[in-house]
Amino acid sequence: MFAVLGFIGLFIFFSSFFTVKQQTAVVIERFGKFLNVRNSGLQLKIPVFDRIAGRVNLKIQQLDVIIETKTHDNVFIKMKVSVQFKVIQDKVYDAFYKLEYPHDQITAYVFDVVRAEVPKLKLDDVFERKDDIAIAVKRELNDAMMTYGYDIINTLVTDIDPDIQVKNAMNRINAADREKTAAEFEAESSRIRIVAKAKAEAESKRLQGQGIADQRREIARGLVESVEVLNNVGINSQEASALIVVTQHYDTLQAIGADTNSNLILLPNSPQAATDMLNNMVASFAASNQVGEMMKRNTPKIEKKEPRFRDMPENPENPEITV
């Protein structure tokens, strides 16, 4: 009997002590009535009279709420809102006794705010202004849950999921827009290449023309000097010009013969071709000079008549001066 009583006494004695973990609060009731809140550490209660009514977690908790709603342009979307909250240490009594199911109350408030805010926005605006939605949810929850001892740390819109057909349409729009931009860049690149090529060709033609002009200018200067040298030895200009042309003819034949892979044929090409060319050119120059002399002799001379001043009337403005 004494052993049984001793065992019961030890059991009651040890049941008087209990421990509370860090970031946890314990609610103590005496005969069903709230007594006090015990914090972390080793605690003592009166056996039989006092009991632990419950433990309240003081850590930051997260509640994920998935809501289906529609936007202003009648697109149904699913949103995931993450609510981070904790119990205020000084208001453990309110958090424990005033709310039976705090997660359900938080979820209801989140549904209410999201379904009030999202229908005001178009689908694109929902993605752009998700932070505004999160701020509205936090503001509403803070006002409502602070009374019950809950502090809303933050609210985050972590996911926006439109209908699969809407997502496919958005992807097609995005792809088409990017293809359009790529086509514009490719067209601009082609235009730049064409303009650059045209400028290069124009510059090449200009330089080529300038080179040809310089070449012809030097050839003409050389011909003039050659004619002057030939004139000094008693050869007139016609004969000198013909001789220079014949010389160029032989230079051309030499250049053609120097290239073994040339397929150029110069016609006529006979031994007397140079002599015939020289005679024909001399005769042509002589005939042209005769024609020029005949045109000068047959051109009538126009006599200039002097004005007859004495037949003109007097100056009406100044009658004393006669023109």
Side-chain angles (χ1 to χ4, degrees), residues 261-277:
N261 296 324
S262 176
N263 54 6
L264 179 65
I265 300 176
L266 184 64
L267 297 175
N269 188 15
S270 59
Q272 68 274 12
T275 304
D276 296 339
M277 184 183 300

Side-chain angles (χ1 to χ4, degrees), residues 7 46 57 75 104 115 136 147 178 184 188 194 206 218 220 235 240 249 256 265 268 272 298 316 323:
F7 178 77
I46 300 175
N57 187 1
V75 177
D104 294 343
R115 288 184 174 175
T147 307
R178 292 182 180 274
E184 291 176 353
E188 182 66 16
I194 292 172
R206 186 184 68 81
E218 295 299 325
I235 301 175
H249 173 76
I256 295 174
I265 300 176
Q272 68 274 12
N298 295 332
V323 180

Side-chain angles (χ1 to χ4, degrees), residues 100-293:
E100 181 70 22
Y101 302 105
H103 288 188
D104 294 343
Q105 275 83 3
I106 293 175
T107 301
Y109 279 111
V110 172
F111 266 83
D112 182 67
V113 175
V114 170
R115 288 184 174 175
E117 294 292 331
V118 173
K120 301 176 184 178
L121 306 173
K122 293 183 178 180
L123 180 60
D124 293 338
D125 296 335
V126 172
F127 284 94
E128 295 176 1
R129 300 178 57 184
K130 67 183 186 67
D131 292 338
D132 296 339
I133 299 173
I135 292 172
V137 173
K138 180 182 178 182
R139 182 175 57 250
E140 185 70 21
L141 281 175
N142 260 331
D143 295 340
M145 300 302 294
M146 188 67 69
T147 307
Y148 304 112
Y150 285 88
D151 182 21
I152 306 301
I153 305 300
N154 202 0
T155 56
L156 303 171
V157 178
T158 56
D159 189 20
I160 301 174
D161 187 18
D163 185 79
I164 184 63
Q165 296 180 355
V166 176
K167 288 196 290 186
N168 293 336
M170 293 175 66
N171 290 334
R172 289 197 300 271
I173 292 173
N174 189 20
D177 184 63
R178 292 182 180 274
E179 289 178 358
K180 176 183 176 182
T181 304
E184 291 176 353
F185 278 106
E186 289 177 357
E188 182 66 16
S189 176
S190 299
R191 186 189 69 81
I192 292 173
R193 286 196 297 268
I194 292 172
V195 170
K197 183 179 180 181
K199 289 182 178 179
E201 290 180 355
E203 183 67 15
S204 174
K205 296 294 183 182
R206 186 184 68 81
L207 295 176
Q208 183 180 2
Q210 183 177 354
I212 293 174
D214 293 340
Q215 178 186 9
R216 290 178 178 177
R217 190 179 302 108
E218 295 299 325
I219 291 174
R221 186 178 293 110
L223 291 175
V224 171
E225 293 176 356
S226 300
V227 171
E228 291 178 353
V229 171
L230 293 175
N231 288 336
N232 293 331
V233 297
I235 301 175
N236 59 26
S237 300
Q238 291 84 1
E239 293 175 348
S241 299
L243 181 60
I244 291 172
V245 171
V246 172
T247 303
Q248 291 180 347
H249 173 76
Y250 279 109
D251 290 341
T252 303
L253 291 177
Q254 182 179 1
I256 295 174
D259 189 1
T260 57
N261 296 324
S262 176
N263 54 6
L264 179 65
I265 300 176
L266 184 64
L267 297 175
N269 188 15
S270 59
Q272 68 274 12
T275 304
D276 296 339
M277 184 183 300
L278 178 61
N279 295 331
N280 292 334
M281 293 185 66
V282 171
S284 299
F285 287 144
S288 116
N289 289 334
Q290 292 178 3
V291 172
E293 292 296 332

